[in-house]
Amino acid sequence: MAVTVHTPVLSTKSVGLADQRTGGGVTVHTPVLLKELLECLAPSSEGIYVDGTLGAAGHAVAVLEASNPSGVLIGLDQDEEILKIAKENLKFFENRARIVKANFSDIAGVLKKLDFEKVDGIYLDLGVSSLQLDRPERGFSFRAAGPIDMRMDPATGESVLEKIRKSDEKELTQILREYGEERLAPKIARALLEKIRRGELQTTLDVATSVFNIYPPRQRYGRIHPATRTFQALRIWVNDELGSLKRFLSAAPALLKEGGHLCVMSYHSLEDRIVKHTFRDLSKKGFKILTKRPVIASKEEIKVNPRSRSAKLRVLLLPPSPQPPSPRGRG
């Protein structure tokens, strides 16, 4: 895709962006596929953009820098703790940044409430933030003991533990198989429910240990931890992540101005498949797919930021309407 690269110069205002915590207590953010996203989004000074997964605002800062002096960004996130960090990181942009606590699937309602009818670009960076993973009390990590929670918004809905308690072996097996693509789903579901009955499932480490012990010894020390797929499945389940993505993709295209871009960055095949098929359907309705193959991180970026290894970026364009031919002059 031959497009001019719009690379922002992150000013000293951007220092302190949070996502990955360093040993000295200073927080630094490494946005995934940043140059590629900006290349596709091409922010302009008159543009209005929506970051549906604001996080610590790494991408948002870059978009606002690239759309100086008057571009507007609307940032959505459902995690109250992360929104506090995002607000701090965006405070220098004053009224150019509008921050809203909301799930990205509610994008149409958010824009209506803010009195925006159409926008120039919308993007998502799906998955779990390293800020969430780094906080054991949030229950996302299998490497430290924490409550079995995993909710993006701890103030709403049921925790993973509550949902497991209400499930049966058939349902839990289906969740692990469908959302985690876990081949040992039946054994893992049975083990987790048995530990629930015995009162032995208290922390995320209990879940991780149970899964680890299910795997044959020779398969316990591969490239990824044996519990990775189980934790992915439980997180998707408790947050209805795939349902939210489908609702977002149903609403977002209609909110684009002509010439506007919809960019979605996903991290596993379930999300990417939904985006790919939706974009293909939309291409039959006047939209144009700009990424025949998903954009992936360079080897250099992967070395610096290993999280980018599995990222796939797909981009959709609403082309401008063809201009009517000008009338021929007479004489």
Side-chain angles (χ1 to χ4, degrees):
M1 180 172 52
V3 206
T4 302
V5 178
H6 295 256
T7 306
V9 178
L10 297 185
S11 70
T12 52
K13 296 175 182 177
S14 308
V15 174
L17 284 175
D19 202 338
Q20 296 178 350
R21 189 168 297 279
T22 66
V26 179
T27 49
V28 182
H29 180 69
T30 309
V32 173
L33 291 174
L34 178 59
K35 288 184 179 179
E36 292 81 358
L37 176 66
L38 292 170
E39 181 179 321
C40 298
L41 201 62
S44 70
S45 61
E46 301 301 322
I48 302 168
Y49 305 94
V50 178
D51 184 332
T53 48
L54 184 60
H59 290 107
V61 166
V63 171
L64 284 163
E65 291 275 8
S67 62
N68 272 328
S70 54
V72 173
L73 181 128
I74 302 153
L76 282 61
D77 206 293
Q78 56 187 327
D79 191 317
E80 192 72 56
E81 289 183 9
I82 290 181
L83 280 176
K84 291 177 183 177
I85 297 170
K87 288 176 183 177
E88 180 66 21
N89 289 333
L90 293 171
K91 67 182 180 182
F92 297 102
F93 296 99
E94 298 176 342
N95 62 346
R96 290 179 57 209
R98 317 284 178 85
I99 300 174
V100 181
K101 184 177 186 291
N103 185 286
F104 55 75
S105 63
D106 298 326
I107 183 171
V110 169
L111 290 182
K112 184 177 181 181
K113 188 174 291 187
L114 294 176
D115 205 24
F116 288 104
E117 185 177 352
K118 304 274 186 178
V119 297
D120 297 278
I122 304 170
Y123 61 94
L124 295 183
D125 180 9
L126 298 168
V128 61
S129 165
S130 54
L131 275 172
Q132 293 164 327
L133 287 171
D134 289 345
R135 286 170 164 76
E137 66 271 18
R138 297 298 302 277
F140 287 99
S141 176
F142 48 74
R143 300 190 184 280
I148 308 171
D149 196 320
M150 302 191 203
R151 286 172 293 176
M152 299 289 188
D153 181 0
T156 62
E158 298 176 308
S159 69
V160 165
L161 183 59
E162 290 169 322
K163 290 183 75 70
I164 292 176
R165 280 180 175 146
K166 292 182 178 180
S167 68
D168 56 28
E169 189 175 320
K170 181 179 179 182
E171 181 187 18
L172 191 53
T173 296
Q174 183 180 350
I175 293 301
L176 297 176
R177 185 176 283 150
E178 183 178 346
Y179 295 157
E181 300 177 299
E182 173 55 71
R183 61 186 181 82
L184 299 180
K187 291 183 178 180
I188 293 171
R190 197 174 307 123
L192 293 180
L193 290 171
E194 180 59 31
K195 283 193 173 290
I196 285 276
R197 283 190 285 271
R198 294 178 182 176
E200 297 174 356
L201 206 66
Q202 301 292 330
T203 73
T204 49
L205 278 185
D206 295 332
V207 177
T209 302
S210 298
V211 178
F212 183 85
N213 291 335
I214 290 293
Y215 268 71
R218 286 182 298 177
Q219 298 176 22
R220 291 174 182 172
Y221 301 97
R223 187 173 62 85
I224 65 171
H225 191 285
T228 301
R229 295 185 185 88
T230 293
F231 272 66
Q232 172 185 298
L234 295 175
R235 193 200 77 227
I236 290 173
W237 181 33
V238 76
N239 294 295
D240 187 26
E241 292 182 24
L242 300 186
S244 293
L245 179 58
K246 290 175 183 177
R247 291 190 293 275
F248 166 84
L249 290 171
S250 176
L255 302 172
L256 289 174
K257 295 179 183 179
E258 290 185 358
H261 296 82
L262 174 58
C263 310
V264 182
M265 200 183 308
S266 61
Y267 292 85
H268 58 75
S269 59
L270 299 174
E271 293 170 336
D272 183 59
R273 195 175 303 131
I274 292 171
V275 176
K276 177 182 178 181
H277 291 166
T278 302
F279 280 14
R280 185 181 296 165
D281 291 341
L282 289 167
S283 70
K284 301 171 185 176
K285 302 175 182 179
F287 290 84
K288 183 179 180 181
I289 298 173
L290 297 186
T291 47
K292 292 183 179 179
R293 293 183 179 179
V295 178
I296 59 175
S298 65
K299 292 180 180 179
E300 292 73 22
E301 179 174 1
I302 292 171
K303 286 180 182 178
V304 175
N305 185 9
R307 178 175 177 254
S308 65
R309 179 181 287 107
S310 56
K312 292 183 178 180
L313 172 64
R314 295 186 184 272
V315 184
L316 192 73
L317 167 71
L318 177 58
S321 299
Q323 296 298 314
S326 57
R328 289 185 178 181
R330 295 183 181 181

